[in-house]
């Protein structure tokens, strides 16, 4: 019920019927007293009819209910500005910009408030200034012109809007446009006066040759020449709209009302009713693609993906014809992509969805769209792997790779092992064999990566540890290689390859301990060790730094350190890296 009252209030507000909008928003507030949006909307309606005290009360309630909502501070600033509380208005707009620094409405409001505050501090204008400057300052000018039925239609006329903008920039420009009856009518509205627009019956026709006996009249006319303020008269009849213009305006207002009702039904999951309202809105106004977009969103929720895609395509086509905001076009393309993802059953089905997301990103780079694109590409890749999965063919490709390996044709072997892994990415043997090829070719980082993947897939597969240890040995990371071989022996204690690997690592580590390294070997090992993050951490550890000092200067303390296995393990790593030598 609250949503329905809100929808009616929004429709009345869009139609310029602010008292009715206030009534509907009040009904909605009675039903949902903690909804901050309702207070915000009613505050805007009050401000539109210059009831700034009531607008301020609602704006304060909005901020109280939702302190981090930037629009609440926009309402608060506008209300303070209408009441000439300029410093409070400045504070409100600045507070809103803390939550939304790029909000143009807040920036514009802040500029108006600061300008009004400056004028108020400067005191009254000098006698030569335009008498009506304040009437044209601030956003309240446009609110007053919109609220008054006699000037509302003028805002649809570009030349009138341009004149008012010129006057707002420089109030002295008023003298240039006083002959325009629309400007005079607007001036009356802004000053709360009722001017009579002159007609042929009211205008005095001058004599063909002025009589010399009337100098006083000519003098009075000259004195009144700079600014002639008409006497207040009964309010003239508002400008009549053509039948076509009136019908179009009414249709647009009805369309907005239908959209709001559709939104309310959508939130209640009453999708059929929402579809009916959005369709009616489209029939009333085909120049707003948001109705198509909302209907597409409803079809998406209902699982009617083809209907959703059709509406999105129509929205893009119509939006380009109307030169709609590029963000709306992007949104339509994103929604189409979402529907296509829902329909996808094979990897090929993801291609049009990915294309739609990519097109949306060319219109507007939105993080949500980018995430949807990444998810679609990931899902496509996973499906491709599933569709390509064939263990039998994977074994055949692995055997072909083995033949090339025996012939020492390692690049060809890698090609077949890679194809085998595409067919069956869970086979540790193919990773082990490809790691051996990479090691033979000197591509040690790639070999290490494959060996680690092999162990990850099957922690009991001894060849994986042998491949990894061999790569680490060739990288001269003897401590790490020793750990790898020892880990493999836990699963296969009698594996001769692993036992030989341990022996080779121990020989190299002892060689460094005895100081048998040549100067070049020592230099190379030290440089490599200093690049190892583990070695760096040991050297930066204050405890280990003290231990090293004790080994040099305090034999008794050093003897105690040798009883600590963790300390000795770190010392051994430094010895193996050539950083520390024991004599």
């Amino acid at each position: 019920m609250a949503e329905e009252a809100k929808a009616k209030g929004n429709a009345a507000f869009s139609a310029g019927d602010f008292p009715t909008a206030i009534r509907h928003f009040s009904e909605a507030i009675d039903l949902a007293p903690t909804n901050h949006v309702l207070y915000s909307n009613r505050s805007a309606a009050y401000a539109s009819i210059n009831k700034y005290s009531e607008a301020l009360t609602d704006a304060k309630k909005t901020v109280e209910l939702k302190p981090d909502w930037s629009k609440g501070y926009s309402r608060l600033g506008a209300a303070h500005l209408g009441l000439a509380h300029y410093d409070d208005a400045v504070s409100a707009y600045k507070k809103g910009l803390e939550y939304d620094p790029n909000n143009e409405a807040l920036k514009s409001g802040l500029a108006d408030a600061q300008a009004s505050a400056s004028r108020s501090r400067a005191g009254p204008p000098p006698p030569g200034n335009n008498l009506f400057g304040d009437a044209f300052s601030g956003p309240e000018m446009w609110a007053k012109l919109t609220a008054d039925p006699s000037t509302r239609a003028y805002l649809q006329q570009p030349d009138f809007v341009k004149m008012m903008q010129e006057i707002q920039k420089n109030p002295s420009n008023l003298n240039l446009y006083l002959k325009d009856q629309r400007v005079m009518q607007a001036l009356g509205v802004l000053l709360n006066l009722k001017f009579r627009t002159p007609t042929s019956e009211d205008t005095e026709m001058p004599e063909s040759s002025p009589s010399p006996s009337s100098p006083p009249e000519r003098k009075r006319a000259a004195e009144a020449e700079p600014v002639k303020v008409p006497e207040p008269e009964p309010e003239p009849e508002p400008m009549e709209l053509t039948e076509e213009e009136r019908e179009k305006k009414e249709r647009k207002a009805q369309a907005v009302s239908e959209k709001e009702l559709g939104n309310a039904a959508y939130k209640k999951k009453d999708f059929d009713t929402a579809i009916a309202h959005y369709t009616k809105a489209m029939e009333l106004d085909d120049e707003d693609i948001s109705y198509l977009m909302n209907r597409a969103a409803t079809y998406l929720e209902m699982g009617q993906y083809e209907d959703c895609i059709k509406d999105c395509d129509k929205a893009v086509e119509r939006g380009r014809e109307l030169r709609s905001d590029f963000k709306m076009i992007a949104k339509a393309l994103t929604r189409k992509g979402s529907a296509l993802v829902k329909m996808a059953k094979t990897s090929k089905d993801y291609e049009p969805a990915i294309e739609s997301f990519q097109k949306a990103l060319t219109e507007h780079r939105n993080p949500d769209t980018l995430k949807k694109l990444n998810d679609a590409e990931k899902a496509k890749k996973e499906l491709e792997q599933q569709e390509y999965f064939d263990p039998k063919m994977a074994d055949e490709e692995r055997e072909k790779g083995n033949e090339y390996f025996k012939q020492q044709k390692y690049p060809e072997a890698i090609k077949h092992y890679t194809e085998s892994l595409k067919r069956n990415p869970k086979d540790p043997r193919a990773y082990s064999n490809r790691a051996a090829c990479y090691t033979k070719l000197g591509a040690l980082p790639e070999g290490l990566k494959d060996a680690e993947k092999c162990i990850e897939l099957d922690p009991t597969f001894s060849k994986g540890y042998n491949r990894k240890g061999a790569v680490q040995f060739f990288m001269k990371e003897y401590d790490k290689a020793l750990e790898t071989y020892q880990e493999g022996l836990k699963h296969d204690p009698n594996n001769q390859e692993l036992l030989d690997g341990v022996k080779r690592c121990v020989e190299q580590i002892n060689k460094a301990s005895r100081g048998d390294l040549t100067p070049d070997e020592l230099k190379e090992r030290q440089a490599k060790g200093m690049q190892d993050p583990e070695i760096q951490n040991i050297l930066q550890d204050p405890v280990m730094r003290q231990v090293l000092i004790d080994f040099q200067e305090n034999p008794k303390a050093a003897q105690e350190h040798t009883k600590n296995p963790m300390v000795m393990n770190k010392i051994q790593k430094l010895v193996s890296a050539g950083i520390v030598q024991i004599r």
Side-chain angles (χ1 to χ4, degrees), residues 323-483:
R323 296 187 178 180
S324 299
D325 187 350
F326 58 88
K327 292 182 181 178
M328 291 292 287
I329 304 294
K331 195 172 184 180
L333 289 166
T334 299
R335 192 156 289 163
K336 177 183 177 180
S338 297
L340 289 166
V341 165
K342 294 284 187 181
M343 297 173 65
K345 295 180 179 177
T346 66
S347 59
K348 286 284 185 184
D349 293 338
Y350 278 94
E351 291 178 1
I354 290 170
E355 182 183 2
S356 189
F357 289 136
Q358 289 171 338
K359 286 181 178 179
L361 289 170
T362 61
E363 297 286 341
H364 174 57
R365 195 162 185 83
N366 180 282
D368 181 59
T369 303
L370 184 61
K371 183 179 183 303
K372 289 178 183 291
L373 172 62
N374 292 336
D375 290 344
E377 289 176 337
K378 182 180 178 182
K380 179 177 182 288
K381 185 176 180 181
E382 290 175 354
L383 266 181
E384 284 176 339
Q385 291 177 346
Q386 293 174 17
E387 293 164 355
Y388 207 64
F389 184 78
D390 189 334
K392 184 178 179 181
M393 290 192 67
D395 289 342
E396 292 176 2
E397 289 294 331
R398 181 167 52 78
E399 288 301 326
K400 291 178 182 178
N402 292 345
E403 290 299 321
Y404 280 110
F405 185 88
K406 291 175 184 177
Q407 298 172 27
Q408 299 183 357
K409 295 180 178 180
Y410 305 120
E412 290 83 353
I414 288 174
K415 180 181 177 182
H416 287 288
Y417 291 140
T418 301
E419 181 63 23
S420 173
L421 288 168
K422 287 180 180 179
R423 293 289 184 181
N424 183 7
K426 301 295 184 182
D427 185 1
R429 295 170 298 177
Y431 279 108
S432 171
N433 292 1
R434 194 171 68 174
C437 287
Y438 281 133
T439 305
K440 292 288 186 181
L441 292 171
L444 301 181
E446 290 82 359
L448 181 62
K449 185 177 178 181
D450 272 3
E452 288 176 339
K453 185 65 177 179
C454 172
I455 295 171
E456 176 190 328
L457 292 172
D458 187 358
T460 65
F461 189 46
S462 59
K463 274 195 177 294
Y465 296 97
N466 190 49
R467 303 299 187 205
K468 182 178 178 181
V471 172
Q472 291 170 325
F473 186 88
F474 287 123
M475 295 173 76
K476 299 184 179 181
E477 296 177 348
Y478 303 119
D479 279 319
K480 293 181 179 180
L482 179 60
E483 290 176 3

Side-chain angles (χ1 to χ4, degrees), residues 3 116 239:
E3 286 295 329
S116 298
M239 179 179 288

Side-chain angles (χ1 to χ4, degrees), residues 534-545:
E534 187 177 4
I535 297 297
Q536 293 175 5
N537 289 334
I538 293 173
L539 293 175
Q540 292 172 2
D541 185 351
V543 174
M544 286 303 301
R545 290 169 68 177

Side-chain angles (χ1 to χ4, degrees), residues 30 40 53 139 209 228 267 280 297 389 450 456 470 484 566:
D30 290 338
S40 170
S53 295
S209 56
K228 183 176 181 180
K267 290 177 181 177
K280 182 65 175 176
F389 184 78
D450 272 3
E456 176 190 328
T484 299
M566 289 182 63

Side-chain angles (χ1 to χ4, degrees), residues 46-59:
Y46 275 132
S48 297
I49 56 175
N50 302 329
K51 290 188 175 183
Y52 294 111
S53 295
E54 292 84 349
L56 180 61
T57 300
D58 278 353

Side-chain angles (χ1 to χ4, degrees), residues 36-327:
H36 63 282
V37 177
L38 299 176
Y39 289 98
S40 170
N41 289 3
R42 192 170 69 175
S43 177
Y46 275 132
S48 297
I49 56 175
N50 302 329
K51 290 188 175 183
Y52 294 111
S53 295
E54 292 84 349
L56 180 61
T57 300
D58 278 353
K60 287 181 176 178
K61 186 66 175 178
T62 303
V63 172
E64 177 188 330
L65 291 171
K66 187 73 172 173
D68 59 347
W69 193 43
S70 62
K71 185 174 281 189
Y73 295 96
S74 181
R75 302 294 192 217
L76 189 62
H80 278 305
L81 198 57
L83 292 169
H85 302 161
Y86 303 126
D87 291 336
D88 291 336
V90 169
S91 298
Y93 287 125
K94 284 183 177 178
K95 186 68 175 177
L97 286 168
E98 290 178 11
Y99 294 105
D100 189 359
N102 299 317
N103 189 297
E104 291 300 327
L106 287 168
K107 289 180 181 178
S108 175
L110 177 60
D112 289 333
Q114 289 173 331
S116 298
S118 299
R119 285 196 296 272
S120 68
R121 294 191 192 99
N129 282 14
N130 193 295
L131 299 175
F132 310 109
D134 290 342
F136 300 100
S137 63
E140 60 267 20
M141 181 191 83
W142 300 107
K144 287 181 179 180
L145 295 178
T146 303
D148 195 284
S150 66
T151 54
R152 189 181 306 139
Y154 297 158
L155 297 178
Q156 304 298 322
Q157 301 170 14
D159 61 329
F160 173 77
V161 173
K162 186 176 180 181
M163 285 190 289
M164 296 306 295
Q165 289 173 338
E166 291 295 328
I167 295 171
Q168 192 174 38
K169 288 179 184 177
N170 185 1
S172 63
N173 288 335
L174 175 63
N175 292 325
L176 302 175
Y177 303 116
L178 282 176
K179 291 183 180 180
D180 193 299
Q181 296 180 12
R182 296 171 298 174
V183 174
M184 294 303 300
Q185 184 65 37
L187 180 61
V189 169
L190 296 173
L191 294 176
N192 293 322
L193 298 175
K194 296 177 181 173
F195 293 161
R196 181 181 65 185
T197 54
T199 65
S200 58
E201 296 177 359
D202 299 326
T203 308
E204 183 179 346
M205 297 298 292
E207 296 291 334
S208 57
S209 56
S211 170
S213 62
S214 58
E217 285 75 11
R218 285 201 301 274
K219 183 178 180 182
R220 284 195 297 273
E223 290 171 352
E225 187 175 345
V227 178
K228 183 176 181 180
V229 182
E231 295 180 5
E233 295 288 347
E235 184 177 353
E237 291 294 321
M239 179 179 288
E240 289 290 333
L241 298 174
T242 65
E243 187 67 25
E244 183 180 351
E245 289 175 334
R246 185 161 52 250
E247 288 181 1
K248 184 177 181 180
K249 184 177 179 181
E250 289 175 356
R251 287 198 303 271
K252 283 185 175 291
Q254 291 173 17
V256 171
S257 179
E258 290 291 338
K259 176 185 175 181
E260 294 293 341
L261 292 171
N263 291 347
Y266 180 89
K267 290 177 181 177
K268 294 177 182 177
K269 305 291 184 182
D270 186 359
F271 298 130
D272 289 330
T273 302
I275 291 289
H277 284 301
Y278 293 140
T279 302
K280 182 65 175 176
M282 290 160 50
E283 293 170 356
L284 291 165
D285 181 10
D286 66 346
E287 294 182 353
D288 189 339
I289 64 171
S290 68
Y291 308 139
L292 264 171
M293 295 285 296
N294 287 12
R295 191 172 74 171
T298 310
Y299 280 136
L300 185 64
E301 284 293 321
M302 296 172 71
Q304 297 182 20
Y305 304 126
E306 292 183 357
D307 291 328
C308 172
I309 292 168
K310 288 177 183 177
D311 273 1
C312 290
D313 286 338
K314 288 178 186 176
V316 171
E317 181 182 355
R318 186 63 176 144
R320 296 200 191 284
E321 291 174 1
L322 297 170
R323 296 187 178 180
S324 299
D325 187 350
F326 58 88
K327 292 182 181 178

